[in-house]
Amino acid sequence: MTYRRNVDRDRRNVDVEMDMSGLLCIRDLVNLWPTRAELAADLKRQFPDISVSVHQVHKWAEKQSVPARYHYPLLCAARARGFQVTADMIAKMHAQPVTKRGAA
């Protein structure tokens, strides 16, 4: 799965194409948006009753975790932008690696 978006770099628009299978972590997911402010705005626009700030979005990327109450709004906001993000992808990004008992 790929997506295209315009990215403003050095005050010019550049088309960027990215393979969605390359999303490995929450930071990658957050970075689909041109800015974290735009992600926060998209969430508020689609779900006016939720409270989300740019600071929170920065923390999500930093901590590699999005609180569960934002998973569905995040999924909807991604789809509204045409990003082919799935609930399964978000769940896998949050999954802790499973290790064998007694393994170091």
Side-chain angles (χ1 to χ4, degrees):
M1 293 180 225
T2 60
Y3 78 94
R4 295 183 69 79
R5 70 174 166 112
N6 287 327
V7 178
D8 186 27
R9 291 194 178 135
D10 300 323
R11 297 183 182 196
R12 67 177 197 266
N13 286 327
V14 179
D15 280 335
V16 173
E17 188 167 317
M18 185 178 207
D19 183 359
M20 294 301 283
S21 65
L23 293 179
L24 301 175
C25 63
I26 297 301
R27 183 177 291 117
D28 294 339
L29 179 62
V30 168
N31 287 340
L32 290 174
W33 278 260
T35 67
R36 298 191 177 165
E38 288 187 49
L39 170 51
D42 283 358
L43 291 168
K44 289 180 200 176
R45 185 173 20 269
Q46 292 214 358
F47 294 86
D49 294 339
I50 67 170
S51 174
V52 63
S53 68
V54 176
H55 176 74
Q56 284 174 285
V57 175
H58 283 295
K59 287 294 184 185
W60 297 346
E62 178 186 312
K63 294 184 177 200
Q64 294 295 323
S65 181
V66 176
R69 70 180 168 273
Y70 297 107
H71 288 191
Y72 182 70
L74 182 60
L75 180 62
C76 292
R79 288 182 176 169
R81 284 214 175 224
F83 305 146
Q84 295 184 10
V85 174
T86 66
D88 189 54
M89 292 168 77
I90 293 172
K92 285 179 182 177
M93 288 176 194
H94 284 88
Q96 296 296 317
V98 177
T99 58
K100 287 186 178 181
R101 193 175 202 102

